[in-house]
Amino acid sequence: MASPGLNRWLLSQLAKAPGTAGALMADPVVEAARSWEPADRALSDLSTDLLSPDLVAALDGAEASRMPADRPPYAHQLAAWRAALERKQSVLVTAGTGAGKTECFLIPILQDCLAAGRPGAGIRAILIYPLNALIESQRERLSAWVRGLGGQVRFALLNGDTPETEREAKIKSDKFELRSRQAIRSTPPHILVTNITMLEYLLLRGADQPIIRASQGALRWVVLDEAHSYAGSQAAEMALLLRRVRAGFGVASKDVRLVATSATIGGEERTEEKLAAFAAALAGQDPGQVEVIEGREQIADLPLAGAEFPLDPSSLSELTPEDLGSQLAVHPRVQALRSALTESGQPLSNVARILMSDPERKTDAGRLLDLCGQAIWQDRPLLPWRAHVFHRAQGGIWACPDPTCPHRASELADEGSGWRFGATYLSPRAACKCGAPVYEVVACTECGTTHLQGVLTQGAQPRLDPPDPGEGDDFALDAEPEEDDGPSSLGSTGWVAVPSQAGGYKGWLSAEGRWFDNAAPAESRAFPLRLIDDVKERGCCAQAGRAGLMGLRFGPNFLIGNGVSGLLKDLAPPDGRPGLPCGGRRAISFSDSRQGVARLAAKLQQGVERDLTRAFLWHAVQEKSDSGADPGEVDALRKKIAAMEAAGLGDLAEDDRRKLAEMTSGQSAPIAWKELIQGLAAHP
C-alpha cells in the first residue's frame, strides 16, 4: 500500500510473537506422540501358523510401506489378524493416528485372497472409503505388497475417475492392478477399493452386472474405514447398503467379515459393548460375532527422578542420543513434562514453564523439546512429540475516518506516514475507541492509495454505514477487474478518500455516519472527506478508471497457497528422492470448501508453471550473455566480496571487484520470442 506508516503498523502487528494478543500465530500446542505396544512375536514367526511365507516375504521386500520380517507387528494388529483369520470374527479396531489400522485389515485380506486361488474368481473383499483421496492413498501400499506376491492377488480402485476402457487408461492394467472398468468387468479382482456412491452404481448399473455374476458367493470381506464418521441416518443407510451388497453378491451375513476402523473412542460406560453392537448392526450379525480391539499405548518406564540440574540446550546438544537419554530421563522437569504431555496437549508457554520455570523462554523450551525427541532411552525415543500450529485468517483491516483520532498507533501518526485516517484495527468492530464509525480499508490495485469502504445509502440524508464483515473471496487478489462495474446503486458500496484526492465530491462525514455536502451542523462532530459512489470516478491515479479497490482479506486457502512451500522446507526434512519437488516432501491440506480446494489446486499449479517458465527465461538470458560468465561463479564471487567487506577487509577485495565487473559487464544479446518458445517446448 502507498502509506508507509500503515505498512509499518501492519508489520508490527502481524510479526507479533506467537500466542500474544492479536498475533497471526497461536501458541503452538505440543502433545506426546503415542507409541503402540508391540506383539510378542516377529512377523517372520507368524509364517508357521497364521500368515503364508509368500506374504511375509512380500511385506518384507516391498519398496514402499515395508514391514520388516524381523520386527513384531503391533499387539492390536496381531489381535485383529487372529480374530479375523482364526476365529473368522468381524472386527472393530479403535486406535489413534499412526497406529497402523490399515494393516489390521489388509494383511488378513491378502492372506485370505492367497488361499482363495487365482484372480478372476470374483471379488473377495470390498474396501469402502469416505473420500477419493483416501482411496488413492491405498494404491501405493497395495501395489507394493501385491507385486511381491507375483500376481497371485489383484486389486482395483473404482471411483469416478476410473476410465471406462483400457484405451482411455493412461496406465494400462497388469497382473497386479486393473485400471479400467472394462478390465474390472472382464476379470474381477480379488480386492475392490471404492466409495459409497460407486458401490451403489455397481449394484444398479447394467454394465456392471458381469462383476456381480462373476462374484456370486465369493465375497468374504467388507471394510469400513473411518467408521466413526457414520452416525445416525448415515449409519442406517450404510447398514441397508451392506445388506443389498450381500444379497447382490449371493452371500449371507454370517459369511462376510466386517472390519471397521475408527479413531480412539472412549469416555463412556460400556464403550466396548456399544461399539460391538454398532459394528454388529452394520454387519447384520449378532454382537457375539464382533470383536472390539483397542490399541494399547506403550509408555517406557522412567527411573526414579534425580536431583535438579540446569537444562542448557547448547551443552546438551553435544551429547550422543544415548548419553542424552541417560541425562534427561532422570531429570524431574523432563519427567514432569512427559507426564503433562501424555495426559493432554500443552501450549509451548506451559512447556517453557515446566522446563525453564519461565513461560517466556519458549525458544529454549523448543530446543529442549527437540533434544527430548532425539534422546534414546531403553532403545526408544525418550519423548516423541508432535506440535499443532494454528494460524488465523485475516478477514480485512478496519479504520476510523477521523484524521485527528487520538488512538492512532505511533506508526500512523508519525510525519511521513502517508496515513490520513484514524486508528486501525485487525478485526471488525462497531466503533472506534474515539466513538467514530469504523470502515474497511481498501487499496487501489494500481497505485496502492488507501480508501475507506462502507455501505452507502442515498436519500435526503445520505449515510455511509460500516460494511458487513462477511466472508470475502480468498483469491480476490488474483482476480482480474470486471469490465462492467457500473455506478453504485442505493444501499451499495461507497468509499471515502482524503480531501486532497480528485474524484467524487467533497463534504463532511459525521461521527454518526451521516454525509453532508455542505457544512455539517455545528453540534455534530464531522470529518472533511471526499465521497465516491462510483469506483471508476476516483482520482487516486491515472489508472483508477480500470483498476479496482481491494480489501486485505487473506483466508486459509490464500495463506496455504502462498506458504505451503516454505512450510515444507522449514518443517520436514527431504526424503532424498532426486528429481521430485521439495526432495519428496508432501503435504495434505483439508478444507470444507470444494470450490476453495479447486481454486487452490489451480493456483498452486499455475504458480509452479510460472516459476518454471521464469527460471527457463533467466537461464536462457544468462546463456546468451556476451560475457559468457557462469552464473554460479558470479554468485560465489559476490558472496566472497561481501564476506570480506563484512570482516573489514574490503581493501583486499579490489581484484575480486575488478574481476566481477569484467564478468558482468557484457550485455545480454536479444533472444527471439520464437526461439524461447521452441527452447521451452524442448526442455526436459
Side-chain angles (χ1 to χ4, degrees), residues 296-317:
R296 293 190 297 273
E297 190 176 355
Q298 182 186 47
I299 302 177
D301 295 327
L302 292 181
L304 291 175
E308 284 233 7
F309 60 87
L311 289 168
D312 178 33
S314 297
S315 58
L316 289 170
S317 63

Side-chain angles (χ1 to χ4, degrees), residues 66-88:
R66 177 174 176 256
M67 292 186 69
D70 59 354
R71 186 185 301 168
Y74 292 136
H76 59 271
Q77 291 175 334
L78 180 56
W81 301 347
R82 291 201 181 284
L85 290 173
E86 292 180 343
R87 299 188 291 277
K88 297 191 175 353

Side-chain angles (χ1 to χ4, degrees), residues 80-160:
W81 301 347
R82 291 201 181 284
L85 290 173
E86 292 180 343
R87 299 188 291 277
K88 297 191 175 353
Q89 294 274 88
S90 290
V91 178
L92 190 148
V93 180
T94 172
T97 303
K101 295 189 290 291
T102 300
E103 287 82 353
C104 289
F105 58 80
L106 274 187
I107 303 300
I109 287 176
L110 288 172
Q111 175 62 38
D112 182 66
C113 292
L114 281 174
R118 62 177 181 80
I123 293 174
R124 199 161 183 87
I126 298 176
L127 281 53
I128 306 172
Y129 287 87
L131 298 171
N132 279 347
L134 297 176
I135 294 176
E136 288 292 334
S137 71
Q138 293 304 329
R139 170 172 271 147
E140 183 177 6
R141 186 182 324 218
L142 266 172
S143 179
W145 289 354
V146 301
R147 284 181 186 281
L149 296 174
Q152 297 181 72
V153 177
R154 269 187 183 170
F155 75 96
L157 273 55
L158 180 62
N159 58 28

Side-chain angles (χ1 to χ4, degrees), residues 29-55:
V29 176
V30 182
E31 66 174 352
R34 296 182 177 184
S35 56
W36 303 93
E37 181 180 312
D40 56 1
R41 299 173 66 185
L43 191 64
S44 57
D45 296 336
L46 302 175
S47 62
T48 58
D49 60 345
L50 187 66
L51 305 179
S52 81
D54 285 352
L55 179 55

